[in-house]
Amino acid sequence: MMETKKEQRYIIFALLVLAVYLSPLFILQENAHIRVHDNLDSNIAWYKVLARSGEIFGGVEGAVPQIINGLLSRNAFGTEYSVIVWLHSLLPTMTAYALSQALTRVTAFFGMYLLLKNHFLPDGRWLLLNISAALAFAMTPFWPSGMLSTLGMPLALWAFLNIRSGEGSLKDYAVLTFLPFYASIVLGFFFFLSAMGVFWLVDCLRKKGWNLRFLFAIVYMTFVFAIVEYRLVYSFLFKGEPNSRDEYFHAQLPFWRAVRLTFKNYLLGHTHVMTVHTLIILPATFFAFYFIVSKKLWRQERIFVFLFALNFFLSLWYAFWFYEGWLPLTKKFHFMDTFNFARYHFLRPMVIYASFALALKIITMQGVNWAKTAQCLAIMQLLVLGLFNDEIIYRDKPTVKQFYAEDLFAEIKDYIALPQEEYRVASIGIHPAIAQFNGFYTLDTYNNFYPLSYKHQFRKIIEKELAKNKTIQKYFDQWGGRCYIYTAQLGKRYMIKKDSKRHLKNLELNTAVFKEMGGRYIFSAIPIDNAAKNQLTLEKVFVTKTSAWKIYLYKTF
């Protein structure tokens, strides 16, 4: 009973820490600072566009009219069975975002805690270490629109291990059933489930029997994902016209650059699965590994040794997926370019934080002073993660309100004084997601899945600018997910604030193609000195106190 009360107190304390961590989102709302990359510049705007389009339940052949002349497939926005889609459809943007963060982090905490408590560190004396590691895992600055794609893995593994051991119950199948509604198979669970398949196969080869319960559970969760992600399955099985991903070529790195990327990823992590493990967790795991080697604890600590090796292997796999040696195979098997198999490294957050818990246990067992060291390491990791709160690390970026600048774009809309569906716009120096969020119909976009023919048509607008800057030329031609009005002068700068003194000089756009595609206005973050040579005329300059941008409104003539 005392142990239960102690556990409850620790859990309540951990949840209070999470509440404090999340509080800026709930208190500040649209005045909060949050991630821009692959968040404000894309996903959050997409949710709003989708909700406004009336195409949430659109057919698999449907399209979203607001973007690229209605050529963007409804399937590019993902499934309507995702909870995050409905949060953003039914609630104000930042309320939905804050609730999504809370749901993800609380689930991550309990998932990791249950995994450690029931399978990795079941002894009651490791309660504090389990709570600390689980709380740290829940505080990692994960990719927001990934939801539980990575942070839900410990909960799924807990359920699978229960089923594998023969102790599975309805609660385990409930986990496997509901996780797909708040996770993405391509952003994490394809790699997790295939890893579970390898786990099952290894069991068979080690003559532990077929374990049909375990196999059924893997197949069952895969089936649920297939139902939830039916749009993705349809797009994969019934490939239509070529899309932008058909010109994505990943196998480009020479051997030594792949080696360098291996260690960079191993030491620093990746932006989409930030683990913040470099300062505290990495030394802790090396301390633990030293004790294993020096005291020959290989058998007792085989789980830690496996995770220690797996962590490095995942970085190795990630880096060498981009190795140029794959090129002959990618030419023969095109799906190797269109599907990002490098994302097996999305398993790393779970692997790293489970390793951290085991490392703290190993260090604790070396004596009283080492036990105190382990406790200090746990506290220090939590403090470091606290400093990685969005409100701190993005404090120099625009707030959500400043970024989307709804008051500014309302003024532009009123000035143009035409129904937004009757004309098309594009942006220079700011992300097109801003115009999309504010209801404008855009020729530019950020999407990984749109018609290749549109990419080639759009390229004609910026052809001369690409020719002047090899970096943006390669970026557009060999990927093209950001279908932007690039300029040689600005390169990949998409957030030019209103205090900028820059001017665009010697701009060369094919405005004729822009007009053919329906383009009528350009929202530029800086003045265009040779606007007339580009058949553009400056209509008006817009700026407000609450906006991060100054918009120079140009119209074609």
Side-chain angles (χ1 to χ4, degrees):
M1 182 65 71
M2 286 184 64
E3 284 297 323
T4 301
K5 288 184 178 180
K6 187 177 181 181
E7 180 183 37
Q8 290 174 348
R9 287 198 302 271
Y10 283 159
I11 289 174
I12 291 171
F13 177 77
L15 293 177
L16 287 174
V17 172
L18 281 180
V20 172
Y21 186 89
L22 291 164
S23 61
L25 295 175
F26 289 94
I27 294 170
L28 298 175
Q29 290 283 297
E30 62 179 3
N31 292 313
H33 295 84
I34 64 174
R35 176 187 174 122
V36 172
H37 178 62
D38 285 351
N39 194 37
L40 284 174
D41 69 350
S42 48
N43 297 78
I44 291 179
W46 297 346
Y47 299 135
K48 185 153 187 172
V49 168
L50 180 60
R52 192 166 46 216
S53 72
E55 291 289 331
I56 288 182
F57 291 103
V60 290
E61 299 288 350
V64 175
Q66 189 184 334
I67 301 177
I68 62 172
N69 284 329
L71 296 175
L72 185 64
S73 169
R74 164 63 188 86
N75 294 349
F77 286 83
T79 179
E80 62 269 37
Y81 298 127
S82 174
V83 175
I84 198 168
V85 167
W86 287 103
L87 285 176
H88 281 270
S89 297
L90 299 173
L91 299 170
T93 294
M94 283 308 294
T95 303
Y97 186 85
L99 286 174
S100 178
Q101 285 273 322
L103 176 59
T104 303
R105 294 187 184 282
V106 170
T107 305
F109 168 74
F110 281 108
M112 180 59 81
Y113 177 61
L114 289 171
L115 176 65
L116 295 174
K117 175 189 175 184
N118 294 153
H119 296 288
F120 287 1
L121 295 173
D123 195 311
R125 62 179 167 154
W126 308 123
L127 173 62
L128 185 57
L129 296 185
N130 288 343
I131 291 285
S132 300
L135 177 57
F137 177 72
M139 290 172 63
T140 54
F142 71 100
W143 183 22
S145 288
M147 305 162 285
L148 289 170
S149 302
T150 53
L151 268 68
M153 287 182 186
L155 185 61
L157 182 57
W158 168 76
F160 276 124
L161 291 177
N162 291 342
I163 294 168
R164 175 178 176 263
S165 66
E167 298 175 1
S169 64
L170 286 177
K171 69 178 182 298
D172 300 304
Y173 281 96
V175 166
L176 303 186
T177 301
F178 291 114
L179 270 177
F181 291 89
Y182 210 66
S184 165
I185 193 163
V186 296
L187 298 177
F189 267 91
F190 169 85
F191 312 100
F192 176 83
L193 287 169
S194 56
M196 288 299 99
V198 171
F199 189 13
W200 173 82
L201 184 60
V202 169
D203 274 354
C204 292
L205 294 176
R206 292 171 64 188
K207 298 181 179 179
K208 290 191 175 183
W210 290 96
N211 201 339
L212 296 180
R213 289 186 299 265
F214 186 24
L215 178 61
F216 173 79
I218 298 169
V219 173
Y220 173 74
M221 192 177 196
T222 305
F223 175 75
V224 175
F225 261 115
I227 297 299
V228 171
E229 301 265 19
Y230 75 97
R231 293 181 182 276
L232 180 68
V233 174
Y234 178 87
S235 298
F236 182 77
L237 294 179
F238 303 98
K239 184 173 172 61
E241 65 174 304
N243 63 71
S244 57
R245 292 196 68 82
D246 289 322
E247 284 189 344
Y248 171 59
F249 305 103
H250 76 273
Q252 300 180 34
L253 291 184
F255 178 81
W256 288 112
R257 283 192 63 191
V259 170
R260 185 175 70 179
L261 183 59
T262 297
F263 286 96
K264 179 182 177 182
N265 182 262
Y266 180 72
L267 295 173
L268 302 177
H270 187 278
T271 181
H272 287 152
V273 281
M274 290 181 67
T275 45
V276 195
H277 66 281
T278 311
L279 292 176
I280 308 299
I281 295 179
L282 201 59
T285 55
F286 275 103
F287 274 133
F289 191 73
Y290 167 76
F291 289 128
I292 289 171
V293 173
S294 62
K295 299 191 176 184
K296 296 181 173 57
L297 302 173
W298 302 100
R299 183 179 295 276
Q300 298 96 308
E301 305 297 344
R302 61 185 181 279
I303 295 177
F304 173 83
V305 172
F306 170 74
L307 294 177
F308 186 86
L310 178 61
N311 182 28
F312 183 79
F313 174 78
L314 290 172
S315 288
L316 183 72
W317 173 264
Y318 163 75
F320 273 85
W321 180 250
F322 301 101
Y323 172 50
E324 61 189 4
W326 286 102
L327 200 56
L329 281 176
T330 61
K331 288 180 178 179
K332 189 173 182 180
F333 303 105
H334 186 54
F335 74 91
M336 292 179 67
D337 266 327
T338 57
F339 191 84
N340 190 356
F341 285 97
R343 286 178 176 162
Y344 273 103
H345 78 107
F346 280 18
L347 294 167
R348 289 191 74 214
M350 176 178 66
V351 170
I352 286 171
Y353 278 85
S355 299
F356 184 46
L358 292 170
L360 294 179
K361 183 210 75 169
I362 294 167
I363 293 169
T364 299
M365 293 177 66
Q366 307 312 308
V368 175
N369 289 333
W370 281 110
K372 292 177 180 178
T373 300
Q375 292 173 5
C376 288
L377 288 170
I379 293 170
M380 289 169 64
Q381 179 62 21
L382 291 170
L383 291 175
V384 169
L385 287 165
L387 295 175
F388 272 76
N389 187 288
D390 281 3
E391 200 57 41
I392 296 174
I393 61 174
Y394 299 121
R395 63 188 181 279
D396 294 328
K397 302 293 184 183
T399 65
V400 177
K401 184 175 184 177
Q402 292 169 338
F403 185 87
Y404 286 127
E406 291 181 78
D407 56 345
L408 178 72
F409 283 88
E411 287 186 18
I412 297 173
K413 176 186 173 184
D414 291 343
Y415 176 84
I416 294 173
L418 292 171
Q420 287 175 301
E421 66 271 15
E422 291 187 6
Y423 58 93
R424 301 293 181 267
V425 306
S427 301
I428 295 176
I430 61 170
H431 294 284
I434 299 169
Q436 292 167 1
F437 186 91
N438 286 285
F440 290 94
Y441 284 57
T442 69
L443 293 179
D444 48 355
T445 192
Y446 177 15
N447 287 98
N448 287 330
F449 183 72
Y450 65 94
L452 187 60
S453 58
Y454 186 88
K455 177 185 173 182
H456 291 166
Q457 184 184 20
F458 189 90
R459 191 188 191 282
K460 294 176 183 177
I461 301 173
I462 55 175
E463 185 173 20
K464 291 183 179 179
E465 291 298 310
L466 295 182
K468 293 186 285 186
N469 186 318
K470 297 302 180 185
T471 298
I472 58 173
Q473 182 184 67
K474 181 178 179 181
Y475 190 60
F476 185 85
D477 288 345
Q478 296 188 11
W479 181 52
R482 293 190 189 272
C483 190
Y484 285 18
I485 298 284
Y486 287 106
T487 69
Q489 183 181 332
L490 297 181
K492 295 194 290 182
R493 297 182 183 89
Y494 324 122
M495 288 180 55
I496 301 178
K497 296 181 182 179
K498 61 186 176 184
D499 58 356
S500 173
K501 305 300 181 185
R502 291 172 177 267
H503 283 233
L504 268 177
K505 302 173 181 179
N506 304 316
L507 181 66
E508 293 182 90
L509 299 181
N510 191 332
T511 317
V513 174
F514 180 71
K515 291 169 70 175
E516 285 173 16
M517 297 172 71
R520 195 159 176 183
Y521 294 97
I522 286 181
F523 300 158
S524 180
I526 56 176
I528 302 172
D529 287 352
N530 63 335
K533 286 188 176 181
N534 288 276
Q535 290 78 53
L536 297 171
T537 181
L538 179 62
E539 290 280 293
K540 189 177 178 181
V541 181
F542 296 85
V543 63
T544 64
K545 289 183 178 180
T546 57
S547 167
W549 329 112
K550 179 187 289 185
I551 298 299
Y552 295 80
L553 179 66
Y554 288 93
K555 184 178 180 181
T556 58
F557 63 81

